[in-house]
Amino acid sequence: MTAEIICVGTELLLGDIVNTNAQFLSRELAELGISVLHQHVIGDNPGRLRELVTQARQRSDLLVFSGGLGPTEDDLTKETVAEAFGDTLQFDEEEWDKIVAFFGRTHRTPSPNNRKQAMVPTKGHKIPNDHGTAPGAWFEDEQGHAAVLMPGVPREMKAMWTEQIRPALQARQNCTIHSVTLRVLGGESSIASKAAALFESANPTAAIYCKTGESEIRVTARAATAEEAETACRARIAEFRAVLGDNAYDTDVPGLEYTLVRILRERGLHVATAESCTGGLVAEKITNVPGASEVFGFGFVTYAEQAKSRLLGVEPALIERYNVVSGPVAVAMARGALQASGADLAIGITGLAGPGGALPGKPVGTVYLAGADARNGRAYLMRLELGGYQERPVIRARAALYALDLLRRMALELPPDSGITLEPGDPVPDL
């Protein structure tokens, strides 16, 4: 099945509202194995909307609309699509009673123009809206082309999709569909080149989505039963893991910090952080995860040199010799955090997030990341070159991601992705 997404609203064209509905619908349709051929944003203009619907019906099986179901004169999506599909609208007393009751719950009275929202298809059918005033609509022509209309309010649209439309589309697919999302550290192009053959399969399918410093691979399988579809997904995920190695870190999680907290809890480990250029971002990510209090007790944000010395025990002479942005200082921060907190693992991070502050041989984006492991006395050090990204928030976000991964690797006793390993007593170079 092929589909097109049509988001209606002049406010979307003007940029007054961010179009999050299209992103949500694209991902949902992909999970159902429905190929999205086009996305459209169109203003509240019946003529242009009528032209678009006529064209889209000729090339796609399903048209998915959001927006244009309100009570005002420019909300004409339902009327326009009904005309294009050879349908008419009729007043629905039941829907009007629901609208009146909805207003009544907030001590309001509907206006006469709200009656427009109670108009429903004659040949097609209405789609109940239990979270707002505007019911959705389903139109279908003799060739089997269908149009699904939903409100533009994201909260209402997502609820209607989940409760009404997704189950109906699953039934039309005549099979069970299952998806698993694998999260992988690294860029899209590198991952795609290593696993190119795995993206060519028709079932299960695999699609890659680029994130900051990492990517998602969504694997979707169709099968006669849910168990068969899930088994096919897991088998394909295993193939991706075999190719991508330790960088493929988990499935169906919101982010790396969730994986890290799970691993720490399973192994009974505690971590601490000592941050300079990231300003507490690593600690924030960890503590955003429910249950983080079981594995995280200390986070130091030591932006000033004096704070690094007073709180973490970093010798002023070390800072004077190597500069505050250096490998030896990062290692000293990690070891200081370990000693001050009594944790099992710690990271120290210092760098130049920009836009100014470049040093000789250390341009903006230079970040030193160190790890310390109380279990074996080892330390780990890497120099990150993140200046190509320019923006300060991006540099900090990528540095925090590297720090979370270093903690993950230390917890699992895996070698760091890059950098050097220091045994107890080894001198610390300024990479």
Side-chain angles (χ1 to χ4, degrees):
M1 183 183 293
T2 58
E4 301 193 24
I5 298 169
I6 303 174
C7 299
V8 183
T10 302
E11 67 278 8
L12 295 172
L13 282 177
L14 296 177
D16 293 335
I17 296 177
V18 178
N19 187 11
T20 59
N21 286 354
Q23 180 188 38
F24 171 83
L25 291 170
S26 291
R27 294 176 71 92
E28 288 290 316
L29 289 164
E31 279 195 5
L32 292 173
I34 298 174
S35 300
V36 177
L37 302 185
H38 299 276
Q39 286 186 10
H40 311 274
V41 175
I42 190 164
D44 298 298
N45 183 290
R48 287 194 288 271
L49 181 58
R50 186 180 301 109
E51 180 183 5
L52 173 59
V53 173
T54 300
Q55 294 172 351
R57 277 180 61 210
Q58 296 174 354
R59 62 192 175 215
S60 298
D61 305 309
L62 175 67
L63 309 184
V64 181
F65 290 81
S66 73
L69 301 184
T72 61
E73 291 184 1
D74 61 355
D75 289 313
L76 295 171
T77 302
K78 193 163 39 179
E79 292 84 347
T80 305
V81 177
E83 179 186 346
F85 275 76
D87 206 336
T88 57
L89 301 175
Q90 60 185 358
F91 184 76
D92 189 306
E93 290 286 354
E94 181 184 12
E95 286 301 319
W96 176 243
D97 290 341
K98 288 172 61 177
I99 291 171
V100 172
F102 184 90
F103 275 84
R105 288 195 292 273
T106 55
H107 307 289
R108 296 179 296 159
T109 301
S111 302
N113 59 6
N114 285 112
R115 292 178 66 87
K116 181 172 177 286
Q117 294 181 290
M119 301 296 288
V120 302
T122 302
K123 298 177 182 177
H125 61 85
K126 66 182 179 182
I127 304 173
N129 182 356
D130 296 325
H131 304 271
T133 58
W138 185 295
F139 298 98
E140 194 158 349
D141 61 22
E142 295 178 354
Q143 289 76 40
H145 299 283
V148 174
L149 280 61
M150 294 176 288
V153 179
R155 176 182 59 83
E156 296 181 29
M157 183 275 294
K158 291 178 180 179
M160 184 178 290
W161 174 271
T162 301
E163 296 167 5
Q164 309 289 338
I165 297 168
R166 182 184 173 100
L169 291 174
Q170 282 181 312
R172 290 169 73 99
Q173 291 288 79
N174 196 29
C175 63
T176 297
I177 297 172
H178 185 80
S179 293
V180 177
T181 298
L182 176 66
R183 296 192 73 116
V184 187
L185 296 164
E188 180 180 359
S189 58
S190 173
I191 294 169
S193 64
K194 292 177 182 177
L198 298 178
F199 288 100
E200 297 174 359
S201 170
N203 188 29
T205 60
I208 189 167
Y209 307 93
C210 186
K211 305 289 183 181
T212 299
E214 61 176 319
S215 299
E216 290 182 355
I217 300 174
R218 175 171 290 178
V219 175
T220 303
R222 301 181 188 87
T225 67
E227 292 76 12
E228 291 174 348
E230 182 176 359
T231 298
C233 281
R234 296 297 175 186
R236 182 54 45 85
I237 290 292
E239 293 180 274
F240 273 109
R241 284 183 178 277
V243 173
L244 301 173
D246 297 335
N247 284 342
Y249 66 82
D250 212 342
T251 58
D252 293 335
V253 294
L256 180 53
E257 57 270 26
Y258 285 78
T259 301
L260 173 62
V261 169
R262 174 183 58 78
I263 292 170
L264 294 171
R265 292 175 68 180
E266 290 174 351
R267 298 192 170 220
L269 299 173
H270 289 76
V271 298
T273 58
E275 304 179 62
S276 183
C277 63
T278 48
L281 185 57
V282 180
E284 180 190 13
K285 286 183 174 293
I286 293 172
T287 54
N288 277 339
V289 181
S293 59
E294 298 178 30
V295 300
F296 181 85
F298 286 80
F300 301 89
V301 179
T302 54
Y303 219 59
E305 294 180 12
Q306 296 90 334
K308 292 178 176 65
S309 298
R310 186 163 59 249
L311 298 178
L312 300 173
V314 180
E315 293 291 339
L318 190 72
I319 296 175
E320 184 178 356
R321 179 179 179 184
Y322 291 104
N323 189 276
V324 71
V325 179
S326 63
V329 169
V331 172
M333 290 173 64
R335 286 173 169 163
L338 204 64
Q339 183 174 0
S341 67
D344 303 290
L345 308 170
I347 57 100
I349 187 166
T350 179
L352 300 168
L359 299 168
K362 297 175 183 178
V364 169
T366 301
V367 175
Y368 290 92
L369 170 62
D373 190 334
R375 298 170 299 179
N376 50 35
R378 292 195 185 100
Y380 306 91
L381 175 63
M382 61 183 71
R383 172 172 166 152
L384 309 175
E385 299 289 353
L386 306 175
Y389 301 98
Q390 298 299 316
E391 297 93 346
R392 180 182 178 87
V394 177
I395 292 172
R396 296 173 76 240
R398 293 181 71 94
L401 186 69
Y402 276 102
L404 292 170
D405 185 50
L406 179 57
L407 287 169
R408 174 185 73 100
R409 289 175 179 274
M410 287 194 296
L412 293 173
E413 300 182 82
L414 296 172
D417 190 39
S418 61
I420 61 172
T421 300
L422 300 167
E423 298 293 340
D426 284 351
V428 183
D430 186 15
L431 298 179

